[in-house]
Amino acid sequence: HFGLGFYSVFMIADKVTIDTLSFREGATPVRWESEDGMEFTMSEGSRTTRGTTITLHVSEAEEEFLNLWRVREVLDRYCSFMAVPIYLTEIKEDEVKVTGEDGKDAAEGEAKDEAKPEEKPINNTAPLYTRAPQDCTDEDYKEFYRSVFHEFEDPLFWIHLNVDYPFKLKGILYFPKIKEQFGGIEGQIKLYSGQVFVADNIKEVIPEFLMLLKGVIDCADFPLNVSRSFLQNDGYVRRISNHITKKVADKLTGMFKTERERYETFWPDIHPFIKYGVMRDEKFAERMKDCLLFKTTDGKFLTLAEYKERNAEKLPDKMVYTSDAARQDAAIKLFTERGIDVAVLDQLIDVNFVSYMEYSADPESKFKFCRVDAELDSLTESGDAPALDNEKLTALVREAAGKDDLTVEVKPLANESVPMMLIEDEQTRRFNDMGRIYGRSEFNMPARFSVVLNSRCATVQKLSEREKDETSTMLTRQLYDLAQLSRQPLEAEQMTEFIRRSMEIVAMAAKM
């Protein structure tokens, strides 16, 4: 009466023998032998102690399983938490005996091996997640994390699941530190049933966004023989998934409300998990909507409501953000000098997240997200700006850029030292960014730029006043390249020309 699990031995063995003796008094030992699992012979065995020995005669093609490290690897993966202790003993070459047809020598060898008292099980029959949370210390959790996932760096924090009703569910979920972009994160959730390993990362059981975490989940009522169709249509499985999501949300919202400072220290590492979860799970999004933070360029952490309140006077319906604080520093300062907070949204996931916040989180709201190089309305300041020759300036800029259809605007910006800014359409840029993320750049839309000349800047005023000549054209080209440089590096030929022109302008200034 063997099951499928036993017959898997014939995947690597040409022959299998079993020597067994029942615990019942007066029982006769039995020897079972088969070469294919279809036909077998049974005879009286020679075992003298209670127990069973299964001997695999490994085929030549599968001799890797005769290596101790390979056997250990298999046991570590599939039996690491099994409730029954497992011992792994390496038999040295000088201890090997030739087994006779009646199995006598094998039985003698077994008795000698079983008498070794110093052997310890290689598996953990009582893993940490089976204990009550109050019985576990922080060091216990960290040690369990290191041993299971072979990590050297401690996790940020963890969530201990311990549920007895309406289903039995135990486990520990760890939030690891993130050092790279969101797209490179790889998590691992190990699923067990009664301490028997089932599989890694079954998305029907584990909410998809939690697969970015590391952890162990054990559901004793979960069937060992699972199929994708069963999981997709089973209400019990869905309830487990929903409960896990709720416990994670409860942990995060509780930390936000009672340990705000600690929550903020974790935010740079955990925000990709949370943002992904918010976009993928409506119930999770509803629970977490008031706990989403936005880090500003000056290091503050603000909720959306807090950002709106702080910037209501100068920026009532927008949040300005930077995707590269170093590259966009000049544009950032234009906002911060006016007391406007600039959020840092520089992860790959933020490309989708800002669109989600606009269109999904609150469909009725007209609140928008604009990158610092796509929003100028809050930077304008009318009053003392003189009237300029807009037609002349437009012609100069179009000639400098080599684009006859370029949109050119003249506006009075608050900062008089900025002569020109290059503004990129927010929605077109987002569409193209998402195309690059998903590898579909062939569908990119042509970039839509416009140039804004600052009418309060003395340089722009001088250009408007003087007659068009080679010098005014050269200076306009220089301003245009500087505006481009504030956004991204110039192409090779553009940079060469920019350097040559810069030297020429310096030489002109030296003669003045």
Side-chain angles (χ1 to χ4, degrees):
H1 301 286
F2 295 130
L4 182 63
F6 168 77
Y7 280 105
S8 66
V9 296
F10 290 101
M11 295 173 65
I12 68 165
D14 293 330
K15 178 181 176 181
V16 177
T17 60
I18 299 176
D19 289 284
T20 184
L21 177 60
S22 171
F23 72 96
R24 293 187 178 89
E25 188 175 349
T28 302
V30 176
R31 180 178 177 81
W32 182 97
E33 186 174 326
S34 176
E35 294 184 356
D36 57 8
M38 305 298 292
E39 297 181 357
F40 61 88
T41 60
M42 291 182 66
S43 59
E44 183 175 333
S46 58
R47 189 179 180 93
T48 57
T49 57
R50 169 189 171 184
T52 301
T53 298
I54 302 174
T55 305
L56 278 61
H57 299 256
V58 178
S59 65
E60 185 176 344
E62 304 293 343
E63 286 185 351
E64 63 171 305
F65 289 98
L66 295 177
N67 294 322
L68 186 69
W69 64 268
R70 184 69 175 95
V71 178
R72 180 96 191 208
E73 180 184 52
V74 173
L75 292 174
D76 283 343
R77 176 170 173 78
Y78 296 99
C79 309
S80 54
F81 299 141
M82 196 168 284
V84 178
I86 298 171
Y87 299 84
L88 178 60
T89 304
E90 182 180 17
I91 300 175
K92 304 299 182 181
E93 193 170 330
D94 56 357
E95 297 175 342
V96 176
K97 291 181 179 247
V98 178
T99 304
E101 290 296 322
D102 58 359
K104 287 184 178 180
D105 289 337
E108 292 172 4
E110 290 151 14
K112 188 177 293 185
D113 286 340
E114 292 169 356
K116 294 181 179 179
E118 70 278 2
E119 287 185 318
K120 294 181 180 180
I122 65 169
N123 60 321
N124 184 356
T125 58
L128 188 66
Y129 67 81
T130 62
R131 291 156 53 181
Q134 60 268 26
D135 297 332
C136 306
T137 66
D138 287 356
E139 188 54 40
D140 289 335
Y141 286 113
K142 293 176 183 178
E143 178 57 34
F144 185 74
Y145 177 74
R146 289 190 289 262
S147 64
V148 174
F149 301 104
H150 308 293
E151 291 282 353
F152 299 103
E153 195 168 24
D154 290 338
L156 292 170
F157 61 95
W158 47 85
I159 299 173
H160 194 141
L161 305 171
N162 194 348
V163 183
D164 290 321
Y165 182 84
F167 37 73
K168 292 183 179 180
L169 177 69
K170 298 181 184 297
I172 304 173
L173 294 177
Y174 291 94
F175 281 72
K177 293 182 179 179
I178 301 174
K179 296 299 183 185
E180 299 177 357
Q181 286 280 355
F182 172 77
I185 303 171
E186 291 184 8
Q188 184 181 22
I189 304 293
K190 295 176 177 288
L191 183 64
Y192 291 80
S193 178
Q195 296 179 226
V196 177
F197 179 77
V198 176
D200 286 323
N201 295 352
I202 298 182
K203 67 179 182 179
E204 285 79 10
V205 181
I206 312 300
E208 185 178 9
F209 70 96
L210 292 182
M211 289 186 187
L212 304 172
L213 308 182
K214 294 181 184 291
V216 174
I217 289 179
D218 193 322
C219 186
D221 301 324
F222 195 76
L224 292 178
N225 294 325
V226 296
S227 66
R228 183 55 50 85
S229 59
F230 164 80
L231 293 170
Q232 289 174 339
N233 298 291
D234 186 72
Y236 179 78
V237 171
R238 285 196 296 273
R239 288 198 300 274
I240 293 175
S241 179
N242 291 337
H243 182 79
I244 294 172
T245 300
K246 180 179 182 300
K247 294 296 289 184
V248 171
D250 289 346
K251 173 72 174 183
L252 294 170
T253 55
M255 189 186 302
F256 173 78
K257 293 174 182 177
T258 62
E259 302 176 87
R260 173 74 181 258
E261 290 186 8
R262 183 166 177 248
Y263 184 81
E264 289 180 1
T265 62
F266 292 154
W267 184 256
D269 287 289
I270 67 175
H271 77 91
F273 300 119
I274 297 177
K275 290 174 181 176
Y276 188 49
V278 163
M279 291 189 289
R280 297 295 298 178
D281 191 301
E282 290 184 8
K283 292 181 179 179
F284 184 76
E286 181 63 27
R287 293 187 176 102
M288 293 298 302
K289 64 181 181 180
D290 296 327
C291 305
L292 298 172
L293 296 181
F294 297 87
K295 183 179 180 180
T296 65
T297 52
D298 58 357
K300 295 186 181 71
F301 289 89
L302 306 174
T303 64
L304 186 59
E306 291 168 347
Y307 184 93
K308 290 179 179 179
E309 182 179 355
R310 284 172 57 91
N311 301 278
E313 184 179 346
K314 296 178 180 176
L315 209 64
D317 58 351
K318 291 185 181 73
M319 175 184 285
V320 289
Y321 68 93
T322 173
S323 59
D324 188 335
R327 174 64 58 185
Q328 297 158 1
D329 182 66
I332 291 170
K333 287 180 178 177
L334 295 177
F335 290 92
T336 55
E337 286 170 356
R338 290 180 62 80
I340 298 173
D341 293 302
V342 178
V344 179
L345 296 171
D346 56 1
Q347 298 288 314
L348 287 176
I349 193 171
D350 289 324
V351 176
N352 288 309
F353 182 68
V354 293
S355 296
Y356 167 84
M357 291 296 291
E358 289 176 342
Y359 303 115
S360 301
D362 188 2
E364 300 300 321
S365 173
K366 294 183 179 180
F367 194 82
K368 299 296 181 184
F369 288 75
C370 294
R371 204 168 76 175
V372 288
D373 57 358
E375 207 284 331
L376 281 184
D377 293 343
S378 59
L379 299 179
T380 57
E381 188 174 287
S382 58
D384 58 347
L388 304 181
D389 189 341
N390 293 358
E391 187 175 343
K392 180 192 291 185
L393 290 172
T394 298
L396 271 172
V397 174
R398 286 178 175 175
E399 182 180 348
K403 298 177 181 178
D404 294 336
D405 58 348
L406 182 65
T407 300
V408 181
E409 299 177 86
V410 181
K411 291 184 177 182
L413 302 183
N415 191 321
E416 298 178 3
S417 64
V418 179
M420 182 187 297
M421 288 189 66
L422 203 60
I423 303 302
E424 184 176 4
D425 180 69
E426 175 77 13
Q427 298 305 320
T428 303
R429 180 187 51 74
R430 281 193 212 173
F431 182 86
N432 293 340
D433 285 346
M434 284 190 278
R436 284 190 289 272
I437 291 172
Y438 296 117
R440 306 301 298 271
S441 56
E442 67 271 17
F443 297 119
N444 280 2
M445 299 171 62
R448 293 172 58 189
F449 293 99
S450 61
V451 172
V452 175
L453 289 166
N454 185 4
S455 59
R456 299 183 73 243
C457 176
T459 303
V460 176
Q461 294 170 7
K462 291 293 184 181
L463 283 174
S464 175
E465 294 170 0
R466 65 178 293 152
E467 293 294 326
K468 181 179 179 298
D469 56 14
E470 291 185 4
T471 300
S472 61
T473 301
M474 179 177 63
L475 292 174
T476 305
R477 285 174 180 165
Q478 189 75 356
L479 292 177
Y480 183 78
D481 283 351
L482 286 169
Q484 282 190 306
L485 268 174
S486 67
R487 296 183 62 260
Q488 62 187 25
L490 297 176
E491 298 294 334
E493 292 183 3
Q494 285 181 293
M495 179 57 74
T496 301
E497 175 60 20
F498 174 77
I499 294 172
R500 185 203 63 76
R501 192 187 316 116
S502 298
M503 293 178 180
E504 186 176 345
I505 293 173
V506 170
M508 288 173 55
K511 294 178 182 178
M512 293 177 65

